[in-house]
Amino acid sequence: MASNAAVPFWRAAGMTYITYSNICANLVRNCLKEPFKAESINREKVHFSLSKWSDGKPQKPVLRSDTPQV
Amino acid sequence: MAMAVFRREGRRLLPSIAARPIAAIRSPLSSDQEEGLLGVRSISTQVVRNRMKSVKNIQKITKAMKMVAASKLRAVQGRAENSRGLWQPFTALLGDNPSIDVKKSVVVTLSSDKGLCGGINSTVVKVSRALYKLNSGPEKEVQFVIVGEKAKAIMFRDSKNDIVLSVTELNKNPLNYAQVSVLADDILKNVEFDALRIVYNKFHSVVAFLPTVSTVLSPEIIEKESEIGGKLGELDSYEIEGGETKGEILQNLAEFQFSCVMFNAVLENACSEMGARMSAMDSSSRNAGEMLDRLTLTYNRTRQASITTELIEIISGASALEAAK
């Protein structure tokens, strides 16, 4: 299944292997049938808040979440 | 003689309740305040009763927290043990090189967001600082990525210039691989590194958590090391399927390794946090129980002393009347 190109297409697009595998996992999750599908999507929710620091000071935190707060 | 006994009682009462502010004792509102005939003040029973009530409440709360931590621990422990299988093949393939000498190391410190969990966060920070000292020198630099509020607060004090990223609120949803892999991805995108050292508390048992360091190397370093030989040198003996080169496979493997190791580390750290919280709350409940015992003794002594004083007054009043007759 691996492409025969010099660099796989997703690597050329700037994705890491982790992003690639996450997208594939999401596709598989969407193929499930109804009760299991809702459960598995519920299970894999992402939420954390990331802030970069420069010169010893934190910048504004970026919230990466599936459920952005209002 | 009764006076002497009472004076001794009074003196013994005061040190045991020394923490209570003096204003409460001297407050005119407490109606059962008494003064011995020689000016020795005794503690009022009201004050002791209030203190006993608050200590009992604290004991109930800490017991409840211990139960909650125990149930959460049971839930996470199974997942943590199962996740150990994720990184074991990587270590079998690539080996673990904690002592590798690289130019840029990034230390990822995992800690908890909530407190009351004993000393686990401070041990993790101590290990991170030790790694910093070990790995700094001419041409070498160390940067920190901090996960969790507690480590952020501690490291902010003296290492704030070396912090690159900080992550909080990771435990809001139950931990899952998707979350940790997105986090790993963010770290990979924002930080340049030759070696990543993840510091976390490994869960051995409910009372034993050891701070551990897992090292993940970047693909370039792996290639360099594989030329030198050793475990990584045997990578060439593996056959590569498909059209990818060794460099690409190494890059994919390194990223995936980082994600798996992070997942395991986060789960183990969560287990250790619950275990530490259980034992911290357990010792608090025990201490509260002991304090309650001591306060009960004090309360009884105060009560008996006040009864004795009343009796003395009655009897001396009566005997004075008798003598006057």
Side-chain angles (χ1 to χ4, degrees):
Chain A
M1 286 286 165
S3 64
N4 283 327
V7 177
F9 53 94
W10 45 269
R11 185 65 76 176
M15 279 205 273
T16 58
Y17 181 75
I18 299 178
T19 328
Y20 174 56
S21 71
N22 271 343
I23 294 182
C24 297
N26 260 327
L27 290 174
V28 172
R29 256 175 245 137
N30 280 327
C31 298
L32 289 174
K33 273 205 240 181
E34 219 357 270
F36 304 106
K37 182 171 173 180
E39 276 175 22
S40 81
I41 293 194
N42 218 353
R43 236 189 354 233
E44 303 284 333
K45 282 203 152 55
V46 173
H47 178 100
F48 60 91
S49 133
L50 182 76
S51 61
K52 303 197 195 162
W53 286 50
S54 64
D55 297 332
K57 280 196 206 74
Q59 313 294 336
K60 216 156 174 283
V62 170
L63 189 67
R64 307 225 8 173
S65 170
D66 284 344
T67 53
Q69 270 124 4
V70 211
Chain B
M1 199 188 76
M3 293 302 111
V5 167
F6 185 56
R7 203 180 343 147
R8 249 185 293 129
E9 289 285 323
R11 290 231 188 90
R12 227 184 311 161
L13 289 174
L14 288 174
S16 64
I17 320 187
R20 189 81 181 166
I22 304 294
I25 301 176
R26 297 224 180 96
S27 146
L29 294 171
S30 47
S31 51
D32 8 32
Q33 202 165 23
E34 304 173 18
E35 217 172 300
L37 286 174
L38 290 163
V40 176
R41 280 184 181 268
S42 72
I43 215 83
S44 83
T45 55
Q46 186 67 26
V47 166
V48 180
R49 247 205 313 252
N50 283 341
R51 197 157 159 112
M52 274 169 58
K53 204 163 47 144
S54 64
V55 171
K56 212 185 301 195
N57 283 338
I58 291 184
Q59 188 182 32
K60 278 193 212 153
I61 291 175
T62 52
K63 263 200 196 133
M65 286 185 74
K66 176 184 167 197
M67 298 280 140
V68 167
S71 70
K72 285 195 181 162
L73 175 69
R74 242 176 295 130
V76 195
Q77 192 173 349
R79 303 180 63 202
E81 283 173 10
N82 290 336
S83 77
R84 284 181 190 160
L86 269 182
W87 53 259
Q88 275 157 0
F90 282 107
T91 315
L93 176 67
L94 298 171
D96 191 23
N97 303 300
S99 55
I100 199 161
D101 202 20
V102 286
K103 288 222 186 66
K104 274 173 164 257
S105 13
V106 173
V107 175
V108 181
T109 313
L110 296 183
S111 67
S112 60
D113 277 345
K114 299 201 182 116
L116 290 181
C117 47
I120 54 170
N121 292 324
S122 45
T123 51
V124 165
V125 169
K126 250 189 279 187
V127 172
S128 313
R129 291 211 183 115
L131 277 180
Y132 178 82
K133 285 213 181 92
L134 269 178
N135 281 316
S136 41
E139 292 194 2
K140 290 202 277 191
E141 61 166 310
V142 182
Q143 287 182 313
F144 287 112
V145 171
I146 299 184
V147 178
E149 282 285 348
K150 293 285 152 189
K152 188 167 81 161
I154 304 179
M155 304 224 62
F156 184 74
R157 257 184 280 140
D158 52 350
S159 314
K160 60 182 174 166
N161 292 322
D162 295 305
I163 301 179
V164 155
L165 278 181
S166 76
V167 181
T168 52
E169 290 183 37
L170 193 65
N171 292 336
K172 189 159 174 216
N173 291 342
L175 294 168
N176 52 51
Y177 180 75
Q179 200 172 0
V180 179
S181 67
V182 176
L183 172 61
D185 194 35
D186 275 342
I187 295 180
L188 282 174
K189 288 211 173 105
N190 284 316
V191 179
E192 261 189 53
F193 64 94
D194 284 334
L196 278 163
R197 297 171 203 274
I198 307 178
V199 185
Y200 61 101
N201 289 94
K202 192 164 174 141
F203 181 78
H204 287 277
S205 81
V206 181
V207 293
F209 347 97
L210 296 180
T212 345
V213 182
S214 295
T215 318
V216 174
L217 304 172
S218 75
E220 295 92 23
I221 298 285
I222 298 184
E223 285 224 50
K224 219 178 13 154
E225 289 290 314
S226 71
E227 266 130 50
I228 295 181
K231 191 138 192 212
L232 288 169
E234 294 164 23
L235 277 179
D236 281 326
S237 55
Y238 287 94
E239 234 182 72
I240 303 180
E241 269 182 42
E244 295 173 341
T245 66
K246 179 170 160 206
E248 277 165 23
I249 293 207
L250 277 182
Q251 199 172 12
N252 293 347
L253 276 181
E255 290 168 2
F256 193 45
Q257 183 189 15
F258 178 43
S259 179
C260 295
V261 172
M262 269 294 276
F263 181 56
N264 179 59
V266 166
L267 279 178
E268 303 250 1
N269 206 40
C271 275
S272 310
E273 179 196 336
M274 295 300 152
R277 188 167 294 140
M278 254 179 76
S279 59
M281 292 295 109
D282 183 44
S283 57
S284 304
S285 319
R286 218 175 322 122
N287 287 343
E290 284 171 22
M291 206 178 214
L292 207 54
D293 286 341
R294 275 201 311 263
L295 282 173
T296 312
L297 284 176
T298 316
Y299 178 70
N300 286 334
R301 250 181 291 166
T302 324
R303 200 174 42 88
Q304 289 162 2
S306 71
I307 293 175
T308 313
T309 328
E310 279 192 46
L311 282 174
I312 290 174
E313 285 173 8
I314 293 173
I315 294 176
S316 50
S319 67
L321 280 175
E322 287 275 335
K325 259 197 262 172

